[in-house]
Amino acid sequence: MLNRTRPFSHVLEQLRSVNLRPTRQRLALAKLLFEKPDRHVTAEALHKEAAAEGARVSLATVYNTLHQFTEAGLLREIVIGTGCSYFDTNTNDHHHYYYEDTGRVEDVPVQHFRVVGDPEVPEGMVVRRVDVVVRLGS
Amino acid sequence: MLNRTRPFSHVLEQLRSVNLRPTRQRLALAKLLFEKPDRHVTAEALHKEAAAEGARVSLATVYNTLHQFTEAGLLREIVIGTGCSYFDTNTNDHHHYYYEDTGRVEDVPVQHFRVVGDPEVPEGMVVRRVDVVVRLGS
DNA sequence: GTGTTTGCAAAGTGTTTGCAATTTA
DNA sequence: TAAATTGCAAACACTTTGCAAACAC
């Protein structure tokens, strides 16, 4: 079993390397995000979580921080419905289950499910990413 | 080569079968959607297209109609960014290219690109759909 | 005529932005 | 102290909704 928790020193380094100051807000959010492995959070959810812990962070800052962390390579943004974005703490190549009833997002164990073949990309185009979402109902 | 254009009589039948009256607006939109094969439209784009043809259809009606057609099985809704929904006239199982620069959506020829493996779905859950989006940049 | 559909304008939702006050290095 | 960051409230983009007038059968 791989431990997917990201060491905190690594988070700090990565923030430094993109010139993001480790402010109280960013540290609080980073703790919530990276102390447990494989999280999939929405901005709203993370905001509530922070509030529940007593960390005062405005919703606007949560949005800004999630995007800054994404640009720094600490998070991956995934879009599932038009409703809202999810942010995934696992930045490795992998796919997702989406539970339509609860809105929950989970990683698909990559060995069980793969995309094969060459997508024959048009001249001058590059594959930036392949997103796979398995929509589950009951 | 498969002709993916949907015969108009079929559209009419399908509307009847779900108790949607073939109104002027629905017919105009259906013409725009199904007279060419493999279209990927947003509500805004379809609205503009209708206006350009002189068909007066309100944006609210375009939204309603797209959803009604989707429920009737004539369209498939695809989500790519949080921005907006695309509606695809190809309801067969297939995947999509997304051109990040232009926002254009295109079908991936299915023989070039497949998803393999068993997604090991949790107890009581059913795979409703697997969405694959290949994001292209330059 | 009766029930359906439309269009408008208003409301809704998730997200972004402008800017003064605050914090960090 | 200079530059970065925050929080608020307003702005935003896309979408949905309530309701009276218009339409289809």
Side-chain angles (χ1 to χ4, degrees), chain A residues 31-83:
Chain A
K31 270 215 160 95
L32 289 172
L33 286 169
F34 303 117
E35 279 192 342
K36 289 185 212 159
D38 295 343
R39 303 214 57 197
H40 302 85
V41 303
T42 63
E44 290 278 5
L46 186 59
H47 183 235
K48 281 209 184 85
E49 227 181 293
E53 294 236 333
R56 299 177 323 290
V57 184
S58 78
L59 185 55
T61 296
V62 172
Y63 275 106
N64 289 336
T65 303
L66 285 171
H67 287 136
Q68 290 157 351
F69 283 10
T70 301
E71 267 166 43
L74 292 166
L75 294 174
R76 166 175 162 185
E77 185 173 0
I78 54 189
V79 176
I80 276 154
T82 33

Side-chain angles (χ1 to χ4, degrees), chain B residues 33-44:
Chain B
L33 287 168
F34 302 118
E35 279 192 342
K36 289 185 212 162
D38 295 342
R39 304 214 57 197
H40 302 86
V41 303
T42 63
E44 290 278 3

